[in-house]
Amino acid sequence: KTSYAKKHITMIKPTQQEYGSTDEILNVKLQTRNVLDTLVVGRYQLMLFFSLGLLFMSDSVESSLIGYLYECAGDTFGLSPGYASTIVSIVFAGEFISGLIVGVLSDVLLGRSTIILLASFLLVAFGLISAASPNYQVLIAARFVVGLGLGMFVVPFDLGIEFCPAPARGKLIQLINCFWGLGAAYITGCAW
């Protein structure tokens, strides 16, 4: 037997075995949704959205940085335009591969919070490694792993939506999008 709170509040996937009929399962889902919809946006949600906004800003910085990076790295390592453009392509290859597996990793295997922490770690650690790259090969490998981290930054939207009451979801998600513009403006200012 499971407790009342576990059945009615923290239930992720109610089953017919536990409740007997589809109507009872829908009733539990509606009760849970009603509880979530009565919540107000508080300090926790605002801090969560600010943190997620900073993650989105770092995604913007990395994405905007690509355009400047291949010019600078091409000059530093004496690369032809074809090799220099590989620096851009390898990041998108990492994002593509990560995008294919991040849904399963976040929803089934590791959880969304773990994926966000992993993505942040990959972005910071391998961003620093790419900044200190002694040669082209290390730079390419580091930028690929940065791309893997960037591909995982779709998960913060899911996490933010889960912890927000329905009436405020649209507004708070749009506030997160403002952080993208701040990141792009920041990197443009740095490059200027």
Side-chain angles (χ1 to χ4, degrees):
K1 291 263 178 180
T2 55
S3 71
Y4 178 83
K6 186 173 181 183
K7 275 186 180 178
H8 295 285
I9 305 238
T10 61
M11 180 61 60
I12 296 172
K13 293 181 181 174
T15 62
Q16 285 189 342
Q17 183 180 11
E18 292 179 50
Y19 291 97
S21 74
T22 306
D23 291 338
E24 289 177 3
I25 293 171
L26 291 174
N27 188 27
V28 170
K29 287 184 178 182
L30 288 174
Q31 286 175 2
T32 305
R33 186 174 187 162
N34 290 340
V35 169
L36 292 175
D37 288 346
T38 60
L39 296 175
V40 295
V41 176
R43 183 177 177 180
Y44 176 78
Q45 282 87 2
L46 292 176
M47 293 198 50
L48 175 70
F49 272 84
F50 181 74
S51 301
L52 297 177
L54 290 177
L55 290 173
F56 201 47
M57 185 176 172
S58 67
D59 184 5
S60 171
V61 166
E62 277 294 334
S63 297
S64 302
L65 177 71
I66 293 170
Y68 303 111
L69 181 64
Y70 94 98
E71 289 282 334
C72 297
D75 291 343
T76 301
F77 296 122
L79 303 173
S80 69
Y83 280 107
S85 65
T86 305
I87 297 168
V88 176
S89 301
I90 200 73
V91 173
F92 291 119
E95 282 188 60
F96 177 75
I97 291 170
S98 180
L100 292 174
I101 61 173
V102 73
V104 173
L105 287 176
S106 66
D107 290 342
V108 178
L109 298 175
L110 300 174
R112 291 187 178 118
S113 298
T114 304
I115 290 296
I116 290 172
L117 291 174
L118 177 63
S120 301
F121 171 76
L122 293 176
L123 196 64
V124 170
F126 287 91
L128 291 172
I129 290 170
S130 66
S133 297
N135 58 38
Y136 175 72
Q137 291 78 15
V138 172
L139 178 64
I140 290 295
R143 297 309 297 170
F144 177 76
V145 178
V146 165
L148 290 174
L150 287 175
M152 295 179 187
F153 274 127
V154 296
V155 175
F157 284 106
D158 297 338
L159 188 67
I161 288 171
E162 285 180 351
F163 284 97
C164 183
R169 285 181 187 157
K171 292 174 189 168
L172 290 174
I173 290 297
Q174 287 305 323
L175 285 176
I176 287 180
N177 286 326
C178 292
F179 282 89
W180 181 274
L182 292 174
Y186 169 75
I187 200 65
T188 303
C190 289
W192 183 59

